[in-house]
Amino acid sequence: MIQVKQEGLKLNGTHQLLVYADGVNILGGCIYTLKENAEALVVASKENGLQVNADKTKYMVMHAGRNHSMKIANSSFEGMKQFKYLGITLTYQNSIQEEIRSRLKSGNASYNSVQNLLTSSLL
């Protein structure tokens, strides 16, 4: 049973909606729960005069082999295999390798940008 309360969207007593300054995360243990929670968000948004932007809305199911588009209220949301959220790369396999690769690449780029300064004889 889904309940929309002032302290957040809850499913079986667990918060399923995490809201940040520029984004919303909807949690669900499976695609069906995720869809129900997204539908509740769309309904609550409409009741408050807001609209969910389908072009900017994506979803990802952890440990899913494939992602299809999810249709809610005449809008289609795209499934993702990975995305960057709050600076961290999340993958559907819940793998950290892509995040490590990304951080190493960023660190190497930073080092290479100041390498001449670090090896300067003027220091």
Side-chain angles (χ1 to χ4, degrees), residues 15 17 19 81 106:
H15 285 280
L17 181 66
V19 181
K81 290 190 179 236
S106 178

Side-chain angles (χ1 to χ4, degrees), residues 66-83:
R66 58 180 191 237
N67 285 331
H68 299 289
S69 62
M70 180 172 42
K71 202 160 181 83
I72 297 173
N74 298 326
S75 296
S76 185
F77 302 144
E78 179 186 357
M80 306 293 290
K81 290 190 179 236
Q82 76 175 29
F83 66 95

Side-chain angles (χ1 to χ4, degrees), residues 37-93:
N37 290 343
E39 287 171 346
L41 175 66
V42 169
V43 168
S45 297
K46 283 184 181 179
E47 288 174 356
N48 290 293
L50 301 173
Q51 182 177 354
V52 175
N53 186 338
D55 293 333
K56 292 184 177 182
T57 303
K58 314 283 186 234
Y59 76 95
M60 183 175 68
V61 178
M62 303 304 255
H63 302 291
R66 58 180 191 237
N67 285 331
H68 299 289
S69 62
M70 180 172 42
K71 202 160 181 83
I72 297 173
N74 298 326
S75 296
S76 185
F77 302 144
E78 179 186 357
M80 306 293 290
K81 290 190 179 236
Q82 76 175 29
F83 66 95
K84 199 166 205 74
Y85 189 74
L86 296 177
I88 297 173
T89 302
L90 302 170
T91 68
Y92 77 99
Q93 297 169 324

Side-chain angles (χ1 to χ4, degrees), residues 104-119:
L104 285 171
K105 185 177 177 183
S106 178
N108 286 336
S110 295
Y111 173 76
N112 288 331
S113 70
V114 296
Q115 187 175 15
N116 289 339
L117 178 65
L118 296 174
T119 58

